[in-house]
């Protein structure tokens, strides 16, 4: 048997041995001789540490030079180490920048007292002393306006979506034309300026959100370009000083897991960290993922355990897309059209040579070629873009595939081209594609309405029902009202083949059926009492009173009721309110739900409880499009070149960039925040008449 060779303990330890610290300060250290620069000497001399430091158990270690120069730091007031003392700590302080600055200050002060503002000292000072003196003077004489220029350069870099490393180049370029300080041009200070900007914007937004009576939480989860799980949060609320509702970027949260439990914990931790009241959340809006809106174990279900009055909302834009997709898959002809669309896109998107030939043919026929778009099932409007591009390029594409399928050379005969030519030559396909393009364009316009930042559920349901009624009236009535483009194609192909409208009208029927399921008649439930058209066409005296009673009972924990406001008083208040609203609608003063909201906010004293319910209804957000835009913004900032960007800096950049899209940053507030976050930045005026800091 071989015995293992003994290894010394020093070799077993992966990290080098550290010098042991003393638990108490040793007085004999004060007799230690060191080489150091002093106020009186222009070069290093040998002195005892006792001449430079003084120590007492109560106060701690004090550097006499720093204390006399009134430098900001523990060595001026008394330095203590809880984990032990070292002689090396004293020696390292003597070569620190703070100690050297204190020596320069004392020399200038002494020279000014003896010779008048240090003229003789300046004539006899060394190059090193001069550099130190200039640095100190520049720090003291930097004007606030000069610092604001540096802050504005950081804002410019954020707006241009460039790295913080480029901020120093912007500073250097601007220094050629205006005076800006050298002291704060580095990359580290660029991040400090960004932190100050983010702090001001974040504090302002969170303060408005805390003061708001109610808010809607809009969230979505995804991964960034580095496949890091992220949760993005937006809030919709009405500031107490405004009658308009706004949507605020809350932040992004790094997730450990994408399950409902982890997301719920992340949301509650965000509320706790920002001192937000969870009970003020009246709606939870997200996409239709089961992890968010699962009936038994979704995030909304978990939040309802803490917030009894919470209403969950499935994004209306996602619902519309799912409704179109449900009908799309059930009609064989539509599935064949989908195959044709994907084939045409693949042919021209993967071959620059084919695209070049198509452009050449289009130039001969004086046609303009539109780029083909992919048909993506998980992207809004993709079907409309794909069908619209094929319709606009139809004649040129047909000639291209006709030429490829009838080529004299056998090797040039492409079976894909033959397939495309056969389908495109079919008049039923051409007319059906034109009808499909008209239908998808109608729902594309509805999808754009659904992507509004402050879209309430009442408005969304009205838009959806109106569009469904319009499509049914146009295509499913006794008479079909074709568009002018479809009529022209029918006339063109009349002699060749009769148009079979059965498949496309079957698709329209299924589409309306699925859309009605996605947007049911009773979706608003008790909130139908505040539907402007329903109030205007009310048929009986008690319209909406039962719903109002249910709402008051449901939101009793968040409504502010007066001592004399009984349920009967609230019903009487609503009756007065609805008749006033009905007259305003008849007179043309109210045309939208927002008009009614503005009127209610202005007359909150007269309709105290009803105004609170209207405020809750107006706070509802029907779409999670803001989260989708947030992820697009995140992918723009955190690109492949910046995939190492950490979550905290990404959050700052997103908040600043989102704020710059709709507002202007107050440079004065940012400067004051940056100046006050560290004591060493508080400077003395360079002369009595200046406001320099």
């Amino acid at each position: 048997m071989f015995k293992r060779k003994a290894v010394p303990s020093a070799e077993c330890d992966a990290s080098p041995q550290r010098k042991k610290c003393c638990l108490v300060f040793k007085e004999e250290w004060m007799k230690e001789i060191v080489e150091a620069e002093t106020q009186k000497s222009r070069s290093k001399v040998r002195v005892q540490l006792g001449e430079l430091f003084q120590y007492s158990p109560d106060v701690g270690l004090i550097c006499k030079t720093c204390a006399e120069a009134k430098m900001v730091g523990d060595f001026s007031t008394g330095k203590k180490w809880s984990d032990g003392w070292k002689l090396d700590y004293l020696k390292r302080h003597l070569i620190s920048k703070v100690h050297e600055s204190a020596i320069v200050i004392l020399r200038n002060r002494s020279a000014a007292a003896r010779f008048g503002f240090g003229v003789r000292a300046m004539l006899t000072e060394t190059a090193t002393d001069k550099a130190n003196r200039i640095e100190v003077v520049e720090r003291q004489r930097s004007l606030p306006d000069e610092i604001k220029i540096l802050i504005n350069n950081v804002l410019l870099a954020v707006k241009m979506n460039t790295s913080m490393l480029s901020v120093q180049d912007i500073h250097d370029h601007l220094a050629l034309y205006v005076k800006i300080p050298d002291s704060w041009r580095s990359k580290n200070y660029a991040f400090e300026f960004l932190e100050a900007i983010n702090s001001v914007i974040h504090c302002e937004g969170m303060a408005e959100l805390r003061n708001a009576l109610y808010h809607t939480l809009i969230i979505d989860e995804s991964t960034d370009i580095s496949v890091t799980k992220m949760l993005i949060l937006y809030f919709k609320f009405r500031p107490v000083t405004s009658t308009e509702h706004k949507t605020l970027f809350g932040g992004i949260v790094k997730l450990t897991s994408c399950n409902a439990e982890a997301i719920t914990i992340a949301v509650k931790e965000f509320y706790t960290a920002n001192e937000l009241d969870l009970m003020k959340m009246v709606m939870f809006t997200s996409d239709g993922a089961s992890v968010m809106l699962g009936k038994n174990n979704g995030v909304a279900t978990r939040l309802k355990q803490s917030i009894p009055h919470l209403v969950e909302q499935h994004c209306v834009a996602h619902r519309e897309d799912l409704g179109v997709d449900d009908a799309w898959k059930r009609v064989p002809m539509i599935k064949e059209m989908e195959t044709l669309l994907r084939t045409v896109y693949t042919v021209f998107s993967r071959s620059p040579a084919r695209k070049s030939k198509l452009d050449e043919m289009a130039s001969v026929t004086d046609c303009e070629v539109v780029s083909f778009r992919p048909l993506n099932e998980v992207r809004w409007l993709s079907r409309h873009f794909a069908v619209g591009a094929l319709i606009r390029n139809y004649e040129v594409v047909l000639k291209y595939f006709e030429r490829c399928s009838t080529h004299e050379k056998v090797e040039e005969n492409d079976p894909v081209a033959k397939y495309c030519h056969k389908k495109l030559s079919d008049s039923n396909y051409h007319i059906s594609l034109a009808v499909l393009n008209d239908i998808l364009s109608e729902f594309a316009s509805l999808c754009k309405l659904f992507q509004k930042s402050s879209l309430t559920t009442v408005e969304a349901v009205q838009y959806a029902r109106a569009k469904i009624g319009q499509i049914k009236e146009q295509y499913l009535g006794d008479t079909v009202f074709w568009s002018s483009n479809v009529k022209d194609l029918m006339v063109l192909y009349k002699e060749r083949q009769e148009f079979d409208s059965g498949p496309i009208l079957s698709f329209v029927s299924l589409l309306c059926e699925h859309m009605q399921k996605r947007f049911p008649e009773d979706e608003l439930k008790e909130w139908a009492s505040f539907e402007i058209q329903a109030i205007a066409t009310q048929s009986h005296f008690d319209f909406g009173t039962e719903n109002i009673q249910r709402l008051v009972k449901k939101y009793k924990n968040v409504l502010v009721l007066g001592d004399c406001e009984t349920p009967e008083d609230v019903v009487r208040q609503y009756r007065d309110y609805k008749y006033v609203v009905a007259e305003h609608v008849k007179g043309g003063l109210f045309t939208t739900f927002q008009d009614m909201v503005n009127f209610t906010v202005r007359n909150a004293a007269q309709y105290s409880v009803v105004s609170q319910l209207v405020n809750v209804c107006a706070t509802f957000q029907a779409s999670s499009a803001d989260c989708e835009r947030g992820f697009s913004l995140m992918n723009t900032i955190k690109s492949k070149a910046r995939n190492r960007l950490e979550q905290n800096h990404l959050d700052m950049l997103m908040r600043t960039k989102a704020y710059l899209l709709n507002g202007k940053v107050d440079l004065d507030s940012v400067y004051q925040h940056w100046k006050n976050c560290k004591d060493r930045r508080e400077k003395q005026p360079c002369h009595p008449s200046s406001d320099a800091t």
Side-chain angles (χ1 to χ4, degrees):
M1 297 293 292
F2 293 99
K3 293 184 179 180
R4 179 177 295 180
K5 185 178 178 180
V7 181
S9 59
E11 297 179 9
C12 295
D13 193 0
S15 59
Q17 289 184 337
R18 299 175 56 190
K19 293 183 179 179
K20 294 183 178 180
C21 297
C22 297
L23 298 179
V24 295
F25 185 83
K26 294 184 178 181
E27 294 292 343
E28 57 266 24
W29 288 345
M30 290 297 189
K31 300 178 181 180
E32 184 80 15
I33 302 296
V34 296
E35 289 187 355
E37 189 177 352
T38 63
Q39 175 186 351
K40 298 180 180 180
S41 64
R42 294 290 174 175
S43 60
K44 291 186 177 182
V45 295
R46 295 173 60 84
V47 293
Q48 287 186 351
L49 289 177
E51 299 179 15
L52 304 176
F53 295 94
Q54 66 180 22
Y55 172 78
S56 64
D58 296 333
V59 179
L61 185 67
I62 294 179
C63 174
K64 299 177 181 179
T65 305
C66 293
E68 186 178 356
K70 297 182 179 180
M71 301 297 291
V72 177
D74 294 339
F75 276 99
S76 299
T77 57
K79 179 70 174 178
K80 295 181 180 180
W81 280 278
S82 58
D83 56 348
W85 295 80
K86 280 187 185 180
L87 176 62
D88 191 43
Y89 292 163
L90 285 68
K91 297 179 180 179
R92 276 189 279 176
H93 173 72
L94 297 177
I95 59 175
S96 66
K97 195 170 184 178
V98 175
H99 185 77
E100 292 177 353
S101 300
I103 293 174
V104 174
I105 291 174
L106 294 179
R107 285 177 183 169
N108 292 339
R109 187 184 300 170
S110 176
R114 287 181 296 166
F115 306 108
F117 303 101
V119 176
R120 183 174 299 179
M122 293 175 61
L123 295 175
T124 58
E125 66 182 350
T126 63
T128 304
D129 294 339
K130 183 178 180 181
N132 293 335
R133 178 178 57 81
I134 291 176
E135 182 179 356
V136 172
V137 171
E138 287 297 325
R139 285 179 178 270
Q140 291 178 341
R141 294 188 178 180
S142 295
L143 299 174
D145 291 339
E146 296 174 357
I147 305 299
K148 293 173 189 176
I149 293 175
L150 302 180
I151 298 173
N152 211 9
N153 289 345
V154 175
L155 289 173
L156 177 62
V158 174
K159 190 180 297 184
M160 295 172 59
N161 198 30
T162 59
S163 171
M164 288 294 103
L165 298 175
S166 64
V167 176
Q168 192 168 357
D169 296 332
I170 299 176
H171 292 334
D172 295 339
H173 176 74
L174 199 61
L176 300 174
Y177 306 98
V178 296
K179 182 180 180 300
I180 54 177
D182 296 329
S183 305
W184 297 292
R185 295 191 198 176
S186 66
K187 177 195 68 175
N188 294 334
Y189 280 110
F191 279 109
E192 287 194 8
F193 289 137
L194 178 62
E195 291 175 1
I197 295 169
N198 174 75
S199 297
V200 171
I201 296 174
H202 185 61
C203 291
E204 177 185 337
M206 288 297 110
E208 285 186 334
L209 183 59
R210 290 188 203 99
N211 295 330
L213 296 177
Y214 320 103
H215 66 261
T216 292
L217 173 63
I218 315 162
I219 70 172
D220 198 359
E221 48 85 21
S222 181
T223 56
D224 59 15
I225 197 169
S226 61
V227 201
T228 302
K229 300 178 182 66
M230 292 290 186
L231 180 70
I232 192 168
L233 299 92
Y234 278 83
F235 297 92
K236 180 186 176 184
F237 64 98
R238 183 179 66 83
V240 293
T241 57
S242 174
T243 59
E244 301 289 337
H245 287 73
K246 65 184 294 186
T247 305
L248 174 72
F249 171 75
I252 56 174
V253 179
K254 190 174 180 180
L255 294 174
T256 56
S257 177
C258 287
N259 56 40
E261 182 181 3
I263 295 175
T264 305
I265 293 174
V267 169
K268 291 185 176 181
E269 288 178 350
F270 182 89
Y271 270 70
T272 303
N274 292 278
E275 300 179 355
L276 299 175
D277 188 358
L278 200 65
M279 294 301 294
K280 290 185 177 181
M281 187 197 307
V282 294
M283 176 170 277
F284 176 85
T285 302
S286 71
D287 59 5
S290 59
V291 69
M292 294 293 182
L293 301 180
K295 184 177 296 185
N296 298 323
N297 200 28
V299 177
T301 303
R302 290 172 175 268
L303 289 176
K304 282 183 180 179
Q305 298 174 2
S306 304
I307 316 170
H309 58 266
L310 184 65
V311 178
E312 62 183 47
Q313 174 69 21
H314 184 183
C315 171
V316 290
H318 282 88
R319 276 195 272 171
E320 181 199 355
D321 197 55
L322 291 172
V324 175
D325 186 63
D326 291 340
W328 188 277
K329 295 177 180 178
R330 294 185 56 184
V331 181
M333 186 177 183
I334 299 297
K335 293 295 292 180
E336 293 177 6
M337 289 181 179
E338 178 181 345
T339 304
L340 176 63
L341 291 168
R342 295 185 185 277
T343 303
V344 172
Y345 171 75
T346 303
V347 167
F348 294 106
S349 65
R350 297 183 178 180
S351 176
R354 292 172 179 171
K355 185 65 169 62
S356 178
K357 290 181 181 179
L358 183 69
D359 294 338
E360 183 179 349
M361 293 180 64
S363 62
V364 173
T365 57
D366 295 331
C367 296
E368 182 181 359
V369 175
V370 179
S371 297
F372 292 97
R373 305 294 292 272
L375 199 154
N376 197 321
E377 294 182 357
V378 296
R379 290 289 182 269
W380 303 332
L381 307 176
S382 65
R383 293 182 174 88
H384 170 58
F385 291 150
V387 175
L390 180 59
I391 288 295
R392 295 186 62 178
N393 298 329
Y394 202 91
E395 297 298 332
V396 180
V397 173
L398 179 61
K399 291 180 181 179
Y400 174 84
F401 286 123
E402 181 181 5
R403 179 180 177 183
C404 293
S405 60
T406 59
H407 204 278
E408 295 179 358
K409 296 181 180 180
V410 178
E411 60 271 14
E412 295 291 338
N413 291 337
D414 188 358
V416 175
K418 290 183 178 181
Y419 163 78
C420 293
H421 179 257
K422 179 182 177 181
K423 294 296 183 182
L424 294 173
S425 301
D426 190 341
S427 60
N428 271 324
Y429 260 76
H430 194 179
I431 299 175
S432 298
L433 279 169
V435 177
L436 183 62
N437 183 50
D438 293 338
I439 296 170
L440 292 178
S441 65
E442 293 291 341
F443 282 95
S445 63
L446 178 63
C447 185
K448 292 177 182 178
L449 289 174
F450 283 165
Q451 295 179 46
K452 291 171 58 178
S453 291
S454 297
L455 180 71
T456 63
T457 53
V458 173
E459 293 173 312
V461 171
Q462 290 173 346
Y463 288 144
R465 289 177 182 173
K467 186 60 66 177
I468 295 170
Q470 175 188 344
I471 297 297
K472 292 176 68 175
E473 188 73 22
Q474 182 177 358
Y475 293 101
L476 302 180
D478 296 333
T479 303
V480 179
F481 297 92
W482 306 109
S483 66
S484 58
N485 293 332
V486 174
K487 290 180 180 178
D488 293 340
L489 291 176
M490 287 181 176
V491 173
L492 179 64
Y493 292 115
K494 186 175 183 180
E495 297 180 356
R496 184 189 304 180
Q497 184 181 2
E498 191 69 24
F499 173 56
D500 182 10
S501 61
I504 193 66
L505 292 182
S506 175
F507 169 73
V508 175
S509 177
L510 286 172
L511 179 59
C512 292
E513 177 184 343
H514 285 288
M515 289 294 291
Q516 285 177 333
K517 291 180 180 178
R518 297 286 178 180
F519 298 93
E521 293 288 336
D522 61 343
E523 179 176 358
L524 293 178
K525 299 179 182 178
E526 59 266 14
W527 293 106
S529 303
F530 295 107
E531 191 176 5
I532 186 171
Q533 296 300 327
I535 294 177
T537 57
Q538 56 181 312
S539 58
H540 56 88
F541 180 74
D542 284 337
F543 168 80
T545 55
E546 293 183 3
N547 292 334
I548 291 297
Q549 291 174 345
R550 294 194 192 99
L551 290 173
V552 172
K553 183 178 180 180
K554 181 177 182 179
Y555 292 97
K556 60 182 180 180
N557 294 327
V558 294
L559 293 178
V560 180
L561 300 176
D563 297 335
C564 59
E565 288 179 326
T566 62
E568 292 76 13
D569 294 330
V570 176
V571 170
R572 191 180 305 110
Q573 188 181 118
Y574 172 73
R575 284 174 179 159
D576 295 340
Y577 173 80
K578 70 179 182 180
Y579 281 104
V580 171
V581 171
E583 290 301 320
H584 279 72
V585 174
K586 293 177 182 178
L589 298 177
F590 290 174
T591 57
T592 63
F593 178 75
Q594 186 60 42
D595 294 336
M596 187 180 74
V597 173
N598 295 338
F599 166 79
T600 309
V601 173
R602 291 194 301 268
N603 296 273
Q606 183 177 357
Y607 308 107
S608 56
V609 180
V610 173
S611 65
Q612 295 180 62
L613 293 175
V614 172
N615 191 11
V616 171
C617 185
T619 305
F620 289 165
Q621 176 64 21
S623 171
S624 63
D626 291 293
C627 293
E628 302 294 341
R629 284 189 285 266
F631 283 122
S632 298
L633 179 61
M634 182 179 69
N635 293 333
T636 302
I637 295 173
K638 192 171 183 177
S639 58
K640 292 182 180 179
R642 307 173 72 182
N643 62 352
R644 295 183 64 186
L645 198 63
E646 294 294 334
Q647 181 264 335
N648 57 338
H649 286 149
L650 178 60
D651 180 81
M652 295 178 191
L653 291 170
M654 287 187 63
R655 181 174 289 103
T656 304
K657 197 170 182 66
Y659 189 88
L660 290 174
L661 294 176
N662 302 313
K664 187 177 180 181
V665 176
D666 186 3
L667 295 180
D668 294 332
S669 300
V670 175
Y671 169 72
Q672 289 298 329
H673 182 277
W674 176 81
K675 172 186 172 183
N676 296 331
C677 62
K678 289 186 180 178
D679 293 336
R680 65 181 176 84
R681 292 196 181 119
E682 294 183 358
K683 307 300 179 183
Q684 298 296 325
C686 56
H687 54 80
S689 61
S690 173
D691 60 346
T693 58

